[in-house]
Amino acid sequence: SFGINIYYRKFFYFFDYACYYNIQLSTAENFSTGLFNGIRTFIGSTWSGEYGNFLSFFPEIIFHFTNRTTNSFILCYTFIFTPYVITALSMFLKKIEEKLNIKNNNIFFVLALISFIVFPVYHATAIYGQPDFFGLAFIFLIIALTTNYNFKEIDYVRLILIFLTTFMLIITRRWYIYWIISYFICYIVNLYLTNIKSKEDLIKITKNIFIYGIIVIILLIVSLFPMIKNILKSSIGDYSAFYLTSGFKGEIINQIRIIGYLPLLLMIIGIIYGLNKKDLRIKTLLSIVQCFLIIFLFTRIQNMGHHHTLVLLPTYIYWLYLCLNMILNETKTMAKRYC
């Protein structure tokens, strides 16, 4: 189905769409002038925060042996990136199963994978020639690494992995920073609401979060200094003002259009289910806060396209999984009742 859509689609490549394809074409050319020049261009473009060669580097080996058309470009990066995303999603799902206390684990896992794979936003981003969805792999890994970790003890391996995945997410596309900010704010709030039982817990968690946060901020500033410098000296607001078409309220309507009515209905059902379940209420409320916080931060600069909606996709599929969990639980309850 994906290949058929690629073959028969009619789409004019402009702005971002042409940019990704042109970068892919230039990746091999940069290395053809010398290994040092290729590495320098790769690192420089990645650290600058602009459209870099980080995403184009992975599919280049396969892309080099194709006819190098836009179709082969899309099929190459989809073939390369999708297994990474699905593997990270599988780790995310295992954590979700623990949180939701799901009994039908195998059924939930299969249906959850299918619901993600057929989700409209994921397909639209890929078909339009925007490989930004690779960042979802790092998002799912960050969620899997932070779930069930309360900072009462220092887990050095876990904390290093959280930093590395966060770093990789930022250099994938810098607007993923909106997800990082909103997620960790809600994550810390959740820690304080659910894990503090005494004054000692409060002091210990606060101390560990503060120390780790300071270290991470320093490391990110040092390692991403060219990107930060470029962001500070350039007027991103003026540059992106053309894309600020409707602000926060308009983006809510835009998201409904992008999502589609059926997925939206299923997500609303999932939200209602999560709010009604005492053990899921805080997490569901915070997921709503995170969603609106991302939209608020994003619309300070511009409105979202299909690829920008990727920052909201983890929240959307969490609501879908709540709905799926409700369906499985109700089916099992009815089966017990009538059998």
Side-chain angles (χ1 to χ4, degrees), residues 95-240:
K95 295 297 182 180
I96 290 292
E97 288 177 2
E98 296 174 10
K99 281 291 184 181
L100 299 182
N101 194 24
I102 295 172
K103 302 297 187 295
N104 302 307
N105 287 1
N106 293 334
I107 297 175
F108 174 83
F109 187 82
V110 172
L111 292 178
L113 280 178
I114 293 173
S115 65
F116 171 77
I117 292 171
V118 301
F119 202 83
V121 174
Y122 184 78
H123 277 272
T125 303
I127 290 172
Y128 286 169
Q130 296 169 305
D132 304 293
F133 67 83
F134 187 44
L136 291 174
F138 301 117
I139 285 181
F140 292 140
L141 288 175
I142 291 170
I143 297 174
L145 287 166
T146 52
T147 301
N148 296 332
Y149 182 60
N150 56 21
F151 273 93
K152 288 183 180 179
E153 303 294 337
I154 297 296
D155 185 340
Y156 291 101
V157 174
R158 186 193 296 254
L159 292 177
I160 291 172
L161 290 174
I162 291 173
F163 167 75
L164 290 176
T165 48
T166 302
F167 176 85
M168 298 294 280
L169 180 59
I170 293 173
I171 65 174
T172 298
R173 289 298 289 143
R174 65 186 181 190
W175 41 257
Y176 273 120
I177 292 175
Y178 297 121
W179 181 88
I180 293 170
I181 293 172
S182 62
Y183 176 76
F184 280 105
I185 288 175
C186 292
Y187 170 66
I188 292 172
V189 171
N190 183 58
L191 285 184
Y192 280 105
L193 292 177
T194 59
N195 289 277
I196 295 178
K197 309 298 181 183
S198 63
K199 184 178 179 180
E200 185 179 286
D201 288 340
L202 174 63
I203 295 174
K204 187 179 296 185
I205 291 175
T206 302
K207 177 183 175 182
N208 290 337
I209 289 176
F210 179 78
I211 293 174
Y212 179 68
I214 292 297
I215 293 173
V216 166
I217 290 172
I218 293 173
L219 289 176
L220 288 177
I221 290 175
V222 172
S223 59
L224 296 174
F225 181 74
M227 178 189 292
I228 296 171
K229 180 181 178 181
N230 185 44
I231 291 174
L232 291 176
K233 75 176 184 179
S234 61
S235 180
I236 299 176
D238 293 340
Y239 175 78
S240 302

